[in-house]
Amino acid sequence: MTETTKWVFAFDEGDGKNKKLLGGKGANLCEMTQIGLNVPPGFVITTDACLAYLDQPDHHLPTGVMDQVRDQMAALERKTGKGFGNPDNPLLVSVRSGSAMSMPGMMDTILNLGLNEETLQGEIKATGDDRFGYDSYRRFIQLFGKVALGVPDEAFDHEFNIVKEAAHAKQDVDLSAADLKEMSERFLRVVEEQTGKPFPSDPMVQLEIAVKAVFNSWMGRRAVDYRKQFHITPEMANGTAVNICTMVFGNRGNDSATGVGFTRNPGTGENKLYGEYLINAQGEDVVAGIRTPKPLDRLTVEMPKMAEELAELRAKLESHYREVQDFEFTIERGVLYCLQTRNGKMNAHGMVRTSVEMEQEGLISKEQALQRIDPVSLEQMLFPRLDPSSKVEAVAQGLPASPGAAAGVAVFDADRAHQLGHDLGQKVILVREETKPEDIHGFFASEGILTARGGKTSHAAVVARGMGKPCVAGAEGISVDVSRREAIVGATSFKEGDTITIDGSSGRVYLGEIPTVEPDFTPELSTLLQWADEMARLKVMANADTPEDARNARKYGAVGIGLARTERMFNATDRLPLVIEMIVAETPEQRDAALEALLPLQRQDFRELFEVMAPNPVTIRLLDPPIHEFLPDEHQLEQDLADLRALAGATRGMTALAGSMGLLHTPEKARDEFDAVRRVMDPMMVEEAIAKKEAMLRKVRALHETNPMLGHRGVRLGISFPDIYKMQVRAILEAAAECAQAGIDIQPQIKVPQVCTVQELKRVKAYVDEAHAEVQAKHGQPVKFKFGTMVEVVRACMRAESLAEEAEFFSFGTNDLTQAVFSFSREDAENKFLPLYNQSDVLHDNPFEVLDEKGVGKLMQLAVDWGRAARKDLHVGICGEHGGHPASIAFCDQAGLDYVSCSGPRVPVARLAAAQAALKHRPQ
Ligand code: ADP
Ligand code: MG
Ligand code: MG
């Protein structure tokens, strides 16, 4: 950079597209000026000047900057006919910061710069309004003192209150010119006391100090922290610009005003000007809450001509920017000025509605309509949320494990939840230390789940997400006392029957009922997602285990089920005893009987899934978890047995008592009493119960594994206990045959978990072929299905080519695959070291949330390519949480996958993300 560097650009010459150089505010001020909007004249000092200034060891402005500023001030004087520092007709300006990205922590704006004792008098003479003059003056001294000289606000507030009290003024507007004059004198003294120097009176000196203060604020603590926290890199925003802008006054009387507007309603998206204004006010008064501003509707009544001009401004802004604008305006004595504009921030409802409507109005294309929305924000529209106007404080904070808000009475075990929720129809929240598979009936009966322990992948979290129910997990501030039916939270507690509210989107827990707002799948959202489906290459399927889940998934637009977990069906209350029976069976006959009883239940499950999803594919995964997960806990069993054995002694005592009745009563009465006593307790029944529990305990001990997740599960189980898989396969094919007979067009898919060698697939395929032949013969018509494998083991990726000879489809199980690639156990990683890894950037993201493209993704890519080398039409998808994450979806698109599958409520997010992924690489 040399002496000839251009550091300063007038609003009518700066490049409105160059936000990096001019900052967002400056670039838009230039652009607005150049498209003919009424912006007060001004200029921008570039971010390059800021960086060059900060580079100087002694912090002086680079050569040329102040010269160019003086030239621009001279130009401003010509344009406005006023003079900077001229007592007869003073030019006043504002000094405003602004970097490429809007960023709190940057310097506050200084208004009315250029005032001193002489120019003040000129201003009063020119306006004939001494109250206005002193009001402007005291504002300037305070802002300049605070922002440029670092004088604390309290020092000014103190003086302010003295004057206000002495004047018996309730509001600022009640202060007289004399009061404001006194205030400005006091403020000047404050500055001198605090800085040890008189307040600078030379306007050009004021300007230079202010410019440096803006530049310095770029490296201020607040700004630096903010950039760090939100990962704002120098590529995104580097340095701040300074905007010098001719002052216009909204405080020149009742024909003047200041306000802020949105070209459309940011809460609902409604196509109607939205905003607030204040008559006779300046700058930040509207947002500062000193007086209550009025809605812009009122302007039509109070200043009809200005309202018309504002409507025109709104139309011009939107037709130019083709995006909802958030703008600032000031009216000075009947003239409307625009002081700032930027893209409006809106909630999801607003974004979706404006996307669809702006496309229909021809402002934007469908592609733009889809690209301007953050997919994840759609979740806001799909779950009940806490009424945003509620101000209640949370009592505990856990992990946001499954989004949505719910209120209900607290219950501390699943049976009670079932009783109160299912049988009595109350709204309940299930509160547990942590949940287990056998709590599942409590989940169904509850509005939401709260646990004191466990992470985002704890049983509670996974199951709740699958059901689309809110869940807060790992709220460690809560200790649950099941026996006393009470939970302690810090100094307070809640008991069974007390109402609580949980917010699974934020992880917060509240006492009492907080009103919630119901979600709505608006017509605009449907339209938008339809467009998304037209643009996307990836198909979006859902993970759904029950017909209920499947129906929801369809509603969200899933075009199939990518993963139906059969273990969820095993856990239903009417199945679990049969499943246990099957596991603890001592003889093949006993096992067969249990399997026989399970078969029709599973067949019915599958049939319903097929019917709900017809004609879309339903991918059923054969049993995956280790079977001991279905058995009760070992310690619980030991405890039960100890209790039962104690009871056995007691029942023997009762029998002895019954036998002693003859000694106590007449024979007739003795017989009655004997029966009564015997009826209370049957010693045989206790012995039977003991025998059953002992068998179960033996089984639990026999099935014990050191490392169950790496142990006897998935296809390993399918090969060593073939009966279970055979039963499942038969149930699937019979259900398919029944549907075929009923004329329902379906696409069943059988998926084998945990596969690492093609031999495993071949074994299972043999069961399938056998059952297939039998079922076809029995039903006398062809039954179609597809056979494929989960790819969730590293070896499966390496052997993809060989697996693809048997498998017609691959489904990446990236949860397990990520664990395998990192050799991290997810629970341990997330609870112990991952947060530290993320914080200190050893790992940028949590690989269980954001697909690790470089490691796991690379392996997936190899598997896709090798798999397709063996089978050209190999269908490939992903199931697991990454399937609902936009960045991971973009990766899957690039890697050539055919579909993603995610939990039902995540489907709309995935549909939009899939469209964005496709658009990213499409030539525009
Ligand atoms: P922020 O980035 O905090 O919005 P701004 O620089 O936009 O800061 O200004 C703060 C307030 O001062 C806004 O209400 C703005 O409209 C007002 N303001 C800024 N410059 C002028 C000016 N030249 N004349 C009148 N009001 C101004
Ligand atoms: Mg502003
Ligand atoms: Mg798995």
Side-chain angles (χ1 to χ4, degrees):
M1 279 162 211
T2 66
E3 268 180 49
T4 57
T5 305
K6 188 161 169 57
W7 303 110
V8 180
F9 292 85
F11 288 169
D12 50 19
E13 60 178 357
D15 172 8
K17 300 280 174 282
N18 198 344
K19 294 197 169 146
K20 262 204 95 181
L21 183 68
L22 304 177
K25 195 184 289 174
N28 277 335
L29 284 166
C30 293
E31 185 134 325
M32 287 196 295
T33 304
Q34 292 162 31
I35 62 170
L37 300 182
N38 195 21
V39 176
F43 55 90
V44 190
I45 312 176
T46 63
T47 55
D48 280 348
C50 172
L51 297 176
Y53 163 80
L54 292 171
D55 252 3
Q56 312 263 358
D58 52 351
H59 276 201
H60 62 255
L61 289 166
T63 340
V65 171
M66 277 318 282
D67 291 338
Q68 294 180 26
V69 166
R70 270 185 286 273
D71 289 349
Q72 288 294 339
M73 286 307 294
L76 278 193
E77 293 180 326
R78 284 194 299 278
K79 278 181 196 151
T80 60
K82 299 179 177 187
F84 195 47
N86 178 352
D88 293 330
N89 188 13
L91 169 65
L92 304 184
V93 296
S94 63
V95 177
R96 319 163 68 184
S97 61
S99 74
M101 297 190 58
S102 113
M103 194 182 298
M106 297 298 304
M107 203 198 73
D108 290 337
T109 295
I110 299 173
L111 299 177
N112 308 332
L113 187 137
L115 278 177
N116 56 29
E117 296 296 326
E118 288 83 46
T119 54
L120 169 63
Q121 293 313 320
E123 188 70 11
I124 291 174
K125 217 182 307 152
T127 61
D129 186 346
D130 54 348
R131 188 186 182 283
F132 161 74
Y134 285 108
D135 188 40
S136 305
Y137 195 31
R138 62 100 189 174
R139 284 174 195 263
F140 169 55
I141 303 164
Q142 173 163 8
L143 271 173
F144 189 90
K146 171 182 145 194
V147 171
L149 303 174
V151 177
D153 251 340
E154 299 80 65
F156 294 114
D157 291 344
H158 180 72
E159 303 295 327
F160 188 92
N161 289 330
I162 293 177
V163 176
K164 206 166 158 183
E165 268 166 40
H168 303 293
K170 278 210 195 69
Q171 287 195 314
D172 296 5
V173 278
D174 301 332
L175 294 165
S176 69
D179 298 331
L180 293 166
K181 178 166 191 276
E182 158 148 18
M183 198 177 294
S184 58
E185 283 157 7
R186 284 173 177 267
F187 280 9
L188 287 173
R189 278 202 299 278
V190 166
V191 170
E192 183 149 6
E193 276 161 24
Q194 294 272 340
T195 63
K197 280 187 238 156
F199 190 88
S201 62
D202 179 344
M204 206 44 100
V205 172
Q206 292 174 352
L207 189 57
E208 186 167 348
I209 293 175
V211 169
K212 286 181 177 172
V214 173
F215 285 164
N216 285 329
S217 72
W218 177 253
M219 291 311 291
R221 176 83 188 280
R222 274 200 304 160
V224 172
D225 285 351
Y226 185 88
R227 291 199 290 278
K228 203 160 169 190
Q229 181 167 359
F230 291 93
H231 305 290
I232 298 179
T233 60
E235 288 69 47
M236 297 155 83
N238 206 5
T240 176
V242 181
N243 304 290
I244 312 284
C245 183
T246 306
M247 282 304 303
V248 289
F249 299 97
N251 53 343
R252 283 291 305 275
N254 287 335
D255 54 357
S256 302
T258 181
V260 293
F262 268 86
T263 54
R264 301 183 190 221
N265 185 313
T268 64
E270 192 191 357
N271 186 3
K272 181 166 177 262
L273 181 65
Y274 174 91
E276 294 177 326
Y277 72 102
L278 272 175
I279 298 244
N280 199 8
Q282 188 176 39
E284 305 281 36
D285 291 358
V286 174
V287 276
I290 302 168
R291 280 189 278 153
T292 311
K294 299 172 188 170
L296 276 177
D297 282 344
R298 283 286 302 165
L299 199 67
T300 335
V301 181
E302 292 197 318
M303 298 182 175
K305 181 162 171 290
M306 289 295 104
E308 260 171 49
E309 285 188 22
L310 204 63
E312 252 170 64
L313 173 61
R314 165 182 178 243
K316 282 187 188 156
L317 283 171
E318 275 210 349
S319 62
H320 179 74
Y321 286 100
R322 294 166 189 273
E323 181 52 89
V324 176
Q325 293 297 297
D326 162 3
F327 63 100
E328 295 173 357
F329 66 90
T330 283
I331 297 166
E332 179 180 331
R333 312 197 85 179
V335 182
L336 174 68
Y337 296 91
C338 190
L339 289 170
Q340 184 178 337
T341 194
R342 59 183 165 201
N343 293 346
K345 283 207 172 69
M346 284 175 281
N347 67 16
H349 283 89
M351 286 302 284
V352 169
R353 178 160 170 190
T354 52
S355 262
V356 173
E357 291 186 352
M358 289 197 299
E359 194 276 344
Q360 286 161 351
E361 292 157 26
L363 275 179
I364 56 176
S365 64
K366 281 185 186 166
E367 287 82 355
Q368 287 166 323
L370 290 166
Q371 278 165 313
R372 66 193 274 280
I373 301 175
D374 170 13
V376 175
S377 73
L378 295 186
E379 283 206 328
Q380 281 175 21
M381 299 177 74
L382 305 170
F383 294 103
R385 43 199 170 108
L386 290 185
D387 184 344
S389 63
S390 133
K391 296 275 179 286
V392 181
E393 294 259 331
V395 290
Q397 169 83 53
L399 298 168
S402 176
V409 297
V411 290
F412 297 95
D413 70 77
D415 292 340
R416 279 297 275 172
H418 187 76
Q419 256 173 17
L420 295 182
H422 180 264
D423 302 344
L424 300 177
Q426 289 189 24
K427 293 195 164 188
V428 306
I429 305 281
L430 178 62
V431 184
R432 301 284 284 158
E433 189 74 26
E434 57 190 343
T435 60
K436 291 243 167 63
E438 60 261 31
D439 290 334
I440 195 79
H441 56 300
F443 278 64
F444 282 116
S446 302
E447 303 297 308
I449 290 89
L450 167 62
T451 68
R453 279 201 278 136
K456 283 195 193 169
T457 43
S458 59
H459 174 263
V462 173
V463 174
R465 273 202 295 278
M467 294 185 181
K469 294 198 176 188
C471 173
V472 172
E476 291 184 351
I478 297 180
S479 75
V480 179
D481 187 337
V482 180
S483 57
R484 299 181 53 195
R485 299 182 178 279
E486 189 182 23
I488 317 281
V489 197
T492 68
S493 67
F494 57 89
K495 292 200 169 51
E496 180 175 300
D498 290 347
T499 299
I500 60 170
T501 302
I502 62 170
D503 181 358
S505 310
S506 69
R508 288 196 255 277
V509 181
Y510 304 84
L511 296 185
E513 172 157 5
I514 308 216
T516 52
V517 193
E518 281 306 307
D520 48 338
F521 209 94
T522 60
E524 287 89 3
L525 182 57
S526 302
T527 306
L528 186 90
L529 290 175
Q530 225 170 302
W531 296 347
D533 295 345
E534 287 161 20
M535 306 282 169
R537 193 187 60 75
L538 284 172
K539 299 273 177 263
V540 179
M541 306 221 245
N543 300 345
D545 306 332
T546 63
E548 172 82 17
D549 288 352
R551 264 185 287 273
N552 271 327
R554 266 214 108 127
K555 202 176 72 198
Y556 290 130
V559 293
I561 295 179
L563 171 65
R565 287 161 294 203
T566 46
E567 52 271 22
R568 273 277 301 281
M569 301 165 179
F570 274 19
N571 267 317
T573 23
D574 56 337
R575 319 285 161 82
L576 197 55
L578 287 173
V579 174
I580 293 176
E581 192 63 40
M582 164 188 87
I583 299 170
V584 299
E586 309 261 341
T587 65
E589 291 74 32
Q590 280 175 352
R591 165 159 302 138
D592 283 349
L595 285 166
E596 277 303 306
L598 272 171
L599 178 83
L601 298 174
Q602 287 251 285
R603 186 172 59 217
Q604 185 58 25
D605 290 337
F606 299 144
R607 179 165 175 177
E608 278 181 53
L609 282 181
F610 292 152
E611 285 177 1
V612 172
M613 268 296 153
N616 295 307
V618 173
T619 316
I620 293 165
R621 180 175 71 185
L622 301 177
L623 194 68
D624 183 36
I627 42 177
H628 65 71
E629 281 200 4
F630 300 100
L631 295 179
D633 172 72
E634 181 174 355
H635 299 291
Q636 186 61 50
L637 276 174
E638 285 167 351
Q639 185 60 49
D640 287 357
L641 269 172
D643 291 345
L644 281 171
R645 287 190 185 116
L647 188 62
T651 34
R652 281 195 296 274
M654 295 286 278
T655 313
L657 176 66
S660 318
M661 287 304 158
L663 306 174
L664 305 174
H665 299 293
T666 59
E668 219 147 90
K669 184 142 198 264
R671 181 155 318 117
D672 287 351
E673 292 287 323
F674 177 87
D675 287 344
V677 172
R678 285 296 301 266
R679 223 175 292 132
V680 173
M681 213 166 279
D682 177 0
M684 286 303 289
M685 195 171 76
V686 179
E687 294 302 334
E688 269 173 39
I690 290 175
K692 267 263 181 289
K693 292 257 172 180
E694 278 173 342
M696 222 183 260
L697 182 61
R698 270 197 305 279
K699 205 75 193 181
V700 168
R701 287 187 176 143
L703 291 173
H704 172 83
E705 291 179 273
T706 314
N707 223 329
M709 295 324 274
L710 300 176
H712 201 176
R713 60 177 291 205
V715 69
R716 275 99 78 178
L717 201 66
I719 287 173
S720 51
F721 292 95
D723 296 338
I724 303 178
Y725 269 30
K726 284 183 178 171
M727 180 276 286
Q728 292 197 306
V729 165
R730 183 169 295 266
I732 294 170
L733 294 171
E734 284 181 358
E738 286 179 11
C739 287
Q741 254 166 355
I744 305 167
D745 183 19
I746 60 163
Q747 298 184 51
Q749 309 206 339
I750 300 173
K751 172 156 91 171
V752 189
Q754 297 291 333
V755 169
C756 64
T757 159
V758 71
Q759 293 309 327
E760 290 169 329
L761 274 183
K762 287 197 160 126
R763 296 286 173 96
V764 179
K765 186 67 189 322
Y767 312 160
V768 175
D769 289 340
E770 188 191 334
H772 187 231
E774 281 176 29
V775 170
Q776 287 203 129
K778 186 168 144 209
H779 286 79
Q781 74 187 99
V783 174
K784 60 174 184 172
F785 71 95
K786 282 213 162 79
F787 182 74
T789 181
M790 290 285 284
V791 178
E792 53 187 336
V793 167
V794 177
R795 194 175 190 282
C797 297
M798 304 320 285
R799 299 295 296 151
E801 204 166 343
S802 147
L803 295 188
E805 283 165 17
E806 282 301 326
E808 293 166 276
F809 63 88
F810 280 3
S811 169
F812 285 105
T814 46
N815 292 353
D816 276 327
L817 190 58
T818 301
Q819 299 202 81
V821 169
F822 280 84
S823 288
F824 288 175
S825 110
R826 178 167 183 175
E827 291 278 279
D828 293 320
E830 286 186 335
N831 289 330
K832 304 264 166 28
F833 56 85
L834 251 186
L836 172 75
Y837 262 43
N838 292 153
Q839 251 165 37
S840 52
D841 245 8
V842 177
L843 268 179
H844 195 281
D845 294 305
N846 175 348
F848 296 104
E849 282 170 5
V850 183
L851 185 77
D852 163 49
E853 291 175 21
K854 292 181 187 147
V856 179
K858 180 125 188 223
L859 203 56
M860 288 168 69
Q861 184 73 68
L862 289 174
V864 173
D865 296 345
W866 288 337
R868 291 225 172 103
R871 184 188 287 268
K872 241 170 82 199
D873 60 348
L874 181 76
H875 205 65
V876 186
I878 179 177
C879 60
E881 289 180 53
H882 301 105
H885 184 273
S888 310
I889 291 171
F891 171 81
C892 292
D893 187 58
Q894 282 298 93
L897 268 60
D898 299 296
Y899 71 91
V900 299
S901 186
C902 55
S903 73
R906 203 73 191 174
V907 166
V909 174
R911 288 166 72 192
L912 180 55
Q916 290 184 354
L919 289 171
K920 199 155 116 195
H921 299 283
R922 179 187 292 184
Q924 296 281 320

